[in-house]
């Protein structure tokens, strides 16, 4: 229950809105209108609270369904489909206009710039790498020039004076001498003192001068054997070259171009650059970019990709600082989380507006959960934060923002899972315990968090960018270290320590593995991936070699996901998150922050184990916040619940996986492509045939009590692992290839082996295979799946049922693919 009075919360929220609106967050203008409307609705709800309490019983019959009725679900899907086609049309038109503008701007543009090595007026080396991180205006001239060079340098000085008033010291003007015989470093330094103070003078040998002039397409007439004491003039090209912070040529201004035109053009170019890259033109921003640009260029990645990896790596030593803050000072730990998150978002990632968008979702959730006591509160939070996320994805799609660019939708997806889970946990805290299952009972929130605690939870720094997501009870046990208040932990620890030993070993082991996966992807993934199957080289091999190569490509494609999720898991472990007890040898285990099990994905015993080992946190969220919540109280989840959850999952997995994919791709991809839906559609048939095989064939091969495992069971397991891997790479390829046309081409080049296996299996089981194996099971005295065993517990359920009739099928349900089709059209038994 909230400790804050309603008037205090109203005042606090209105001030937060004022601060947010002052930031001019124009990227999602509808978000402010949403916030305003929600504010009014929460006030109305609070005033009407007595009446709501009188009608509370009307909600109790559908407290799991809330506002998500079949009608609202159909309307939600129809609206989404309509918006999809509308925005796809708008995006196509926008991209066409952009392409025309880009073509008109770049038609006939020369390739200007390149490697060079010169000396500054102080005698320090200066290369093209020194251009990175700032805008540059480059002029070629010589100190003995009587009039033209001084005029051009004065013009550049006037331009810089105007630009710096608005943007600060974001430019680095260069003067490169074309008179190597007479212009010494000291002479150039003295000469430039009469112009802008930030000018950098560069000189070099004749060969070095000739090389840089060739790179910049500059003509100069100085002979190679010129007399340093001679009195001669140098004829040379008269241009001022504008270079962007990545060292690329943008524009050249001739002698006849006035300074006003240069200033206008510079402003226009800087604005376009910010729009295309998603980065800001500011002193601090460009300085941060300068730290990462050399590494980005060395590995062929974008600056934002390098920044993301750097944030994940920096979180490791910061985690060690976090655990040294006394658990008796929780406020300091909350502030530490918030401070590091702000450091990531502001100077490093430059997501200023994005941070305040996250803050709006956080504050709206905090106010709604505190004020609205009705059963619809969690759904209001769900639709608000999901709607906010959807709007940002639509904006990204319409404007064609590169997935190489780190933008706010990635952190927003993690936050969406946190906030919706929080809302349901608050609602569970207001419900009778008898109506809750085990998970809901453990996670229910009785004591409403303070605003500082809620902000610390929302901005938990190791997981704020790409996860893992955690609930408030996990966060509280981390902050107060109550998870370690266990007799076994106390027995293992010495010297009064609370944290079990082995934490750093596990965490930094994850870091090493994450970097190995990242290295594998960077070194091999660029030229060895699913798209390689579209090349003529791939078709030079026979079918079996192509299929074998395709399995290798699959691992290299997944390596990027393994890298990101393993790195962030290790960073979370450093802070103490993820402790799961001790193994048989007495070593501490830290599996609670894992989002992926690599070995069980690459070598799965069956397809279900594979699915259960991928994106595990999302599967938990879908189960607890969607699947069980759309099921009416007292009823078991059925096909309707599965389909609603699947549609939520389809949207979620697409945007989350594509976000990570884009952050680590070396190419730019846009939009939600048709290949994604091929993967999801294929997945429904795969899970169906896999379950039919598992329920019909596997029981016949299991050893009886007291017997050893047979050779046939070992062969079955080997076949299961092999087929699961083959089917995984076959069905997942459209997700990476993106288009349906290219996906069908790849499938055809693989001999359609996935379709043959899957649909051949379906034909077998539906044509009489199921009936045949059931008879064999009855003949062998095996209790069929779904029948009551001698223990009275339904086989396959692990006995994990609740008083409300809602199962918690942690090991039985996977929500990232459509429901099994045999639930709709069962085979004849």
């Amino acid at each position: 229950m909230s400790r804050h009075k309603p008037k205090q919360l109203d005042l606090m929220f209105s001030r937060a809105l004022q601060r947010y609106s002052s930031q001019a967050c124009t990227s999602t203008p509808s978000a402010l209108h949403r916030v305003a409307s929600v504010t009014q609705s929460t006030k109305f709800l609070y005033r009407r609270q007595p009446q709501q309490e009188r009608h509370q019983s009307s909600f109790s019959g559908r407290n799991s369904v809330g506002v998500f009725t079949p009608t609202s679900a159909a309307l939600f899907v129809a609206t989404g489909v309509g918006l999809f086609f509308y925005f796809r049309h708008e995006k196509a038109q926008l991209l066409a206009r952009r392409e025309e503008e880009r073509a008109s701007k770049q038609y006939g543009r020369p390739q200007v710039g390149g490697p060079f090595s010169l000396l500054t007026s102080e005698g320090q080396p200066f290369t093209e790498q020194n251009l990175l991180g700032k805008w540059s205006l480059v002029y070629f001239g010589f100190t003995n020039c009587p009039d033209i060079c001084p005029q051009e340098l004065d013009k550049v000085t006037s331009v810089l004076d105007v630009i710096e008033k608005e943007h600060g010291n974001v430019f680095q003007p260069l003067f490169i001498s074309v008179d190597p015989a007479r212009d010494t470093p000291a002479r150039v330094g003295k000469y430039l003192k009469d112009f802008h103070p930030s000018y950098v003078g560069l000189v070099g040998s004749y060969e070095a001068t000739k090389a840089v002039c060739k790179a910049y397409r500059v003509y100069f007439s100085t002979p190679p054997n010129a007399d340093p004491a001679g009195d001669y003039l140098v004829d040379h090209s008269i241009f001022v070259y504008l270079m962007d912070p990545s060292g690329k040529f943008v524009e050249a201004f001739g002698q006849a171009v006035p300074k006003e035109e240069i200033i206008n053009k510079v402003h226009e170019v800087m604005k376009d650059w910010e729009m295309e890259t998603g980065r800001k033109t500011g002193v601090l921003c460009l300085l941060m970019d300068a730290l990462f640009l050399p590494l980005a260029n060395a590995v062929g990645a974008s600056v934002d990709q390098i920044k993301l990896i750097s944030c994940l790596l920096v979180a490791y030593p910061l985690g060690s600082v976090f655990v040294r803050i006394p658990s008796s000072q929780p406020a300091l730990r909350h502030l530490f989380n918030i401070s590091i998150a702000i450091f990531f978002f502001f100077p490093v990632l430059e997501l200023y507006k994005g941070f305040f968008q996250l803050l709006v979702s956080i504050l709206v959730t905090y106010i709604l959960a505190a004020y609205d006591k009705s059963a619809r509160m969690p759904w209001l939070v769900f639709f608000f934060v999901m709607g906010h996320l959807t709007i940002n994805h639509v904006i990204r799609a319409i404007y064609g923002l590169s997935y190489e660019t780190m933008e706010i939708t990635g952190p927003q997806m993690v936050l969406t899972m946190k906030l919706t889970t929080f809302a349901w946990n608050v609602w569970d805290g207001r419900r009778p315990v008898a109506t809750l299952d085990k998970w809901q009972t453990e996670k229910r929130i009785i004591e409403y968090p303070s605003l500082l605690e809620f902000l610390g939870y929302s901005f938990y720094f190791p997981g704020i960018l790409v996860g893992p997501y955690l609930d408030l009870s996990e966060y509280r046990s981390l902050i107060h270290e109550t998870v370690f208040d266990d007799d076994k932990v106390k027995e293992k620890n010495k010297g009064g320590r609370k944290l079990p030993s082995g934490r750093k070993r596990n965490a930094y082991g994850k870091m090493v593995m994450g970097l190995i996966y990242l290295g594998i992807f960077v070194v091999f993934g660029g030229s060895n991936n699913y798209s390689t199957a579209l090349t003529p080289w791939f078709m030079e091999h026979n079918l079996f070699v192509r299929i074998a190569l395709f399995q290798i490509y699959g691992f290299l494609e997944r390596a990027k996901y393994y890298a990101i999720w393993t790195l962030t898991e290790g960073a979370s472990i450093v802070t103490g998150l993820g402790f799961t007890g001790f193994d048989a040898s007495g070593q501490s285990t830290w599996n609670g922050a894992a989002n992926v099990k690599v070995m069980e994905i690459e070598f799965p015993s069956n397809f279900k184990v594979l699915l259960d080992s991928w994106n595990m946190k999302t599967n938990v969220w879908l189960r607890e916040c969607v699947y069980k919540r759309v099921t009416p109280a007292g009823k078991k989840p059925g096909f309707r619940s599965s389909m609603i959850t699947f549609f939520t999952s389809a949207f979620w997995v697409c945007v989350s996986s594509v976000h990570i994919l884009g952050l680590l791709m070396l190419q730019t991809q846009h939009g939600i492509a048709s290949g994604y839906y091929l993967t999801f559609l294929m997945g429904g048939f795969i899970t169906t045939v896999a379950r039919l095989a598992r329920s019909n064939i596997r029981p016949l091969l299991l050893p009886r009590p007291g017997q050893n495992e047979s050779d046939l069971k070992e062969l079955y397991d080997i076949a299961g692992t092999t087929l699961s891997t083959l089917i995984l790479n076959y069905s997942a390829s459209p997700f990476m290839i993106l288009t349906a046309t290219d996906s069908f081409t790849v499938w055809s080049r693989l001999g359609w082996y996935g379709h043959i296996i899957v649909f051949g299996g379906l034909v077998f089981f539906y044509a009489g295979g199921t009936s045949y194996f059931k008879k064999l099971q009855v003949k062998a005295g095996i209790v069929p799946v779904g029948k009551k065993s001698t223990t009275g517990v339904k086989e396959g359920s692990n006995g994990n049922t609740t008083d409300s009739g809602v199962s918690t099928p942690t090991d039985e349900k996977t929500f990232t693919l459509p429901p099994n089709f045999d639930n709709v059209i069962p085979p004849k038994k």
Side-chain angles (χ1 to χ4, degrees):
M1 194 68 66
S2 174
R3 297 176 180 176
H4 299 284
K5 295 181 179 180
K7 292 184 178 180
Q8 291 174 330
L9 284 172
D10 277 337
L11 180 60
M12 177 173 54
F13 189 48
S14 62
R15 288 176 177 173
L17 285 176
Q18 291 173 1
R19 290 197 299 271
Y20 176 75
S21 60
S22 67
Q23 298 296 324
C25 183
T26 58
S27 61
T28 54
S30 60
L32 291 178
H33 298 293
R34 285 176 177 268
V35 173
S37 63
V38 170
T39 307
Q40 296 299 321
S41 64
T42 53
K43 293 179 180 179
F44 173 77
L45 289 169
Y46 185 83
R47 291 195 298 269
R48 296 288 300 274
Q49 189 62 38
Q51 183 177 355
Q52 287 178 345
E53 291 176 353
R54 290 195 298 270
H55 293 283
Q56 186 70 28
S57 59
S58 65
F59 287 107
S60 62
R62 57 188 183 96
N63 55 17
S64 294
V65 180
V67 298
F68 211 109
T69 63
T71 303
S72 64
L75 181 62
F76 179 76
V77 173
T79 304
V81 172
L83 287 173
F84 170 78
F85 285 104
Y86 170 75
F87 286 124
R88 188 172 69 170
H89 172 72
E90 291 295 316
K91 177 190 171 183
Q93 290 187 329
L94 179 63
L95 290 178
R97 290 195 299 268
R98 280 191 173 184
E99 191 62 33
E100 292 177 1
E101 294 175 359
R102 186 178 293 109
S104 63
K105 289 180 180 180
Q106 296 186 347
Y107 180 77
R109 177 176 292 180
Q111 295 294 322
V112 175
F116 64 85
S117 181
L118 300 170
L119 294 176
T120 67
S121 56
E122 288 80 22
Q124 299 298 318
F126 193 101
T127 70
E128 75 282 354
Q129 294 295 317
N130 295 101
L131 296 178
L132 304 180
K134 278 194 173 185
W135 293 87
S136 302
L137 287 171
V138 184
Y139 181 75
F140 291 79
F142 63 108
T143 59
N144 280 355
C145 181
D147 47 18
I148 295 179
C149 289
Q151 292 173 4
E152 291 300 294
L153 293 176
D154 278 333
K155 183 165 64 175
V156 171
T157 298
S158 300
V159 170
L160 292 174
D161 289 339
V162 174
I163 298 298
E164 288 182 351
K165 287 181 180 178
E166 181 174 347
H167 298 284
N169 185 24
V170 297
F171 265 87
Q172 178 176 247
L174 300 180
F175 173 80
I176 301 178
S177 172
V178 295
D179 187 5
R182 292 181 298 185
D183 285 345
T184 63
R187 183 170 183 172
V188 169
K190 182 178 179 181
Y191 176 73
L192 292 177
K193 288 182 178 179
D194 294 331
F195 304 103
H196 198 276
S198 60
Y199 255 117
V200 176
L202 300 178
V203 299
S205 64
Y206 181 85
E207 290 75 15
T209 303
K210 183 178 179 180
V212 69
C213 288
K214 182 179 181 180
Y216 280 81
R217 308 293 181 91
V218 171
Y219 163 77
F220 74 108
S221 63
T222 308
N225 55 353
D227 182 6
D231 185 14
Y232 57 86
L233 293 177
V234 179
D235 189 15
H236 62 88
S237 303
I238 306 173
F239 286 103
V240 176
Y241 297 96
L242 175 61
M243 315 294 287
D244 70 19
S246 60
K248 296 180 180 179
F249 169 73
V250 178
E251 192 63 78
F253 305 105
Q255 182 181 4
V257 180
K259 64 180 181 181
E260 292 78 14
E261 184 175 336
I262 296 176
I263 292 171
N264 292 335
K265 185 64 178 179
V266 168
H267 278 130
E268 177 186 340
V269 166
M270 292 173 71
K271 184 178 180 180
D272 289 344
W273 183 84
E274 289 183 358
M275 177 70 70
E276 291 179 5
T277 63
R279 309 214 300 273
K280 295 295 182 182
T281 299
V283 178
L284 181 59
C285 298
L286 293 179
L287 285 175
M288 292 299 296
D289 285 352
L291 296 176
F292 300 103
L293 270 169
L295 181 58
N297 291 335
V299 300
S302 73
V303 174
D304 283 348
Q305 292 167 352
I306 301 300
K307 285 182 176 181
L308 172 64
I309 300 299
S310 300
C311 287
L312 298 181
L313 293 177
V314 168
Y316 281 80
L318 291 174
S320 294
V321 176
F322 174 85
V323 297
R324 283 168 172 75
I325 300 175
S327 59
S328 59
Q329 299 290 331
L332 294 181
R333 290 193 163 194
H334 301 322
L335 289 172
F336 187 82
N337 279 324
I338 298 169
S339 301
I340 300 304
I342 291 175
F343 171 73
F344 286 165
F345 282 114
F346 281 24
V348 180
L349 299 174
E350 305 166 32
L351 296 175
Y352 304 100
K353 294 179 181 178
F355 175 84
F356 288 104
Q357 290 195 51
L358 297 184
L359 189 60
V360 165
S361 290
I362 293 169
L363 293 177
V364 169
T365 300
Y366 187 79
I367 298 299
L368 272 177
Y371 273 79
D372 192 348
K373 313 296 183 182
S374 70
R376 62 185 175 183
M377 178 274 293
W379 289 113
L380 292 177
V381 172
F382 183 89
F383 284 120
F384 176 81
V385 296
M386 283 290 285
H388 190 184
L389 172 65
T390 304
I391 289 171
N392 281 345
H393 275 297
V394 168
I395 291 172
R396 184 186 68 183
I398 289 180
Y399 288 96
L401 295 181
S402 167
Y403 283 111
E404 289 183 338
T405 303
M406 181 68 189
E407 38 80 49
I408 201 57
T409 55
Q412 193 174 13
M413 284 184 285
V414 179
L415 185 65
T416 295
M417 290 194 290
K418 283 186 177 181
L419 297 182
T420 52
T421 302
F422 169 79
W424 282 113
N425 293 157
V426 170
W427 170 241
D428 290 338
R430 297 167 181 167
R431 296 167 58 192
V433 176
T435 64
L436 307 179
D437 63 23
K438 181 180 178 181
W439 187 91
Q440 294 165 352
T441 303
E442 291 177 351
K443 306 299 183 180
R444 67 197 299 256
I445 297 174
I446 304 299
E447 181 182 357
Y448 203 78
S450 67
L451 183 59
L452 178 62
E453 182 183 23
F454 190 64
L455 289 173
Y457 160 68
S458 301
F459 289 121
Y460 172 62
F461 73 91
I464 187 61
L465 300 179
V466 293
Y469 114 91
L470 71 166
D471 55 69
L472 185 65
S473 65
E474 289 178 298
Y475 179 74
R476 281 174 166 171
S477 65
L478 173 70
I479 292 296
H480 300 284
E481 296 184 347
T482 54
V483 69
F484 307 120
D485 290 339
D486 185 88
D487 293 337
K488 291 183 179 180
V489 177
K490 294 176 181 178
E491 290 175 7
K492 298 283 184 181
N493 288 346
K494 297 179 180 180
R497 290 186 59 202
K498 266 196 169 184
L499 290 172
S501 60
R503 174 181 55 89
K504 289 185 178 179
R505 171 175 49 81
N506 279 271
Y508 284 94
K510 296 291 183 182
M511 183 187 75
V512 171
M513 288 305 303
L515 292 176
I516 290 174
Y517 292 134
L518 184 62
I520 290 173
F521 171 72
V522 170
V523 175
F524 301 105
S527 57
N528 298 278
N529 49 62
Y530 286 141
S531 297
T532 308
L534 295 169
T535 64
W537 173 86
F538 188 75
M539 291 302 295
E540 294 176 2
H541 304 83
N542 63 53
L543 177 61
F544 294 104
V545 173
R546 294 199 298 267
I547 292 175
L549 287 173
F550 207 70
Q551 312 315 307
I552 299 174
Y553 299 158
F555 168 73
L556 295 176
E557 289 275 18
R558 290 185 290 276
K560 52 182 168 281
Y561 298 99
Y562 297 157
I564 288 293
W565 283 333
T566 304
L567 285 174
T568 190
E569 178 189 354
S572 301
I573 292 174
V574 175
T575 64
L577 182 68
F579 176 66
T580 50
F582 299 92
D583 60 19
S585 62
Q587 298 290 328
S588 60
T589 59
W590 301 80
N591 302 318
N595 199 38
V596 63
K597 296 178 181 178
V598 177
M599 296 305 295
E600 294 187 13
I601 292 171
E602 297 303 323
F603 304 100
S605 58
N606 55 64
F607 199 74
K608 181 184 179 304
V609 169
L610 187 155
L611 292 176
D612 289 343
S613 304
W614 175 265
N615 208 359
M616 298 184 295
K617 293 294 185 180
T618 297
N619 207 43
V620 171
W621 174 71
L622 289 169
R623 183 190 69 229
E624 299 298 340
C625 295
V626 183
Y627 182 71
K628 294 197 298 188
R629 306 299 181 170
V630 298
T631 303
K635 295 184 179 180
K636 293 183 178 181
F639 183 75
R640 170 180 169 273
S641 300
S642 298
M643 287 304 298
I644 293 175
T645 308
F646 164 68
F647 281 118
T648 305
S649 167
F651 169 79
W652 189 264
V653 174
C654 277
V655 295
S656 63
S657 297
V658 171
H659 179 80
I660 296 178
L661 167 68
L663 284 174
L664 292 179
M665 284 288 285
L666 304 183
Q667 305 163 5
T668 301
Q669 307 291 357
H670 299 285
I672 302 300
S674 55
Y676 303 155
Y677 303 102
L678 286 179
T679 294
F680 282 112
L681 182 61
M682 187 74 178
F685 294 104
I686 294 171
T687 54
T688 300
V689 72
R691 193 171 83 156
L692 289 172
R694 193 168 63 251
S695 61
N696 287 284
I697 301 175
R698 187 172 180 272
L700 294 169
L701 303 176
L702 293 175
R704 301 292 178 88
Q707 295 181 349
N708 296 325
E709 192 172 83
S710 66
D711 294 338
L712 286 177
K713 176 60 168 61
E714 292 183 3
L715 289 175
Y716 174 86
D717 292 338
I718 294 173
T721 298
T722 304
L723 288 174
S724 296
T725 303
L726 287 169
I727 294 300
L728 166 66
N729 291 315
Y730 184 89
S731 60
S733 58
F735 201 94
M736 306 294 183
I737 296 173
L738 299 180
T739 67
T741 302
D742 287 343
S743 299
F744 287 132
T745 300
V746 169
W747 280 347
S748 67
R749 293 184 173 190
L750 296 172
W752 301 96
Y753 78 80
H755 284 79
I756 293 173
I757 294 173
V758 173
F759 290 97
L762 288 174
V763 169
F764 171 77
F765 284 113
Y766 275 82
T770 300
S771 176
Y772 173 74
F773 282 113
K774 288 299 179 185
K775 291 178 181 178
L776 290 180
Q777 291 182 20
V778 172
K779 186 176 180 180
I782 300 172
V783 180
V785 175
K787 298 294 184 181
K788 293 289 183 177
S789 66
T790 57
T791 61
V793 179
K794 184 177 179 179
E795 291 190 28
S797 70
N798 295 332
N800 192 12
T801 58
T802 67
D803 295 336
S804 62
V806 179
S807 298
T808 309
T810 305
D811 299 322
E812 298 297 322
K813 290 287 184 180
T814 299
F815 303 102
T816 52
L817 292 175
N820 297 320
F821 293 109
D822 59 329
N823 288 334
V824 184
I825 307 175
K828 187 177 181 180
K829 298 181 180 179

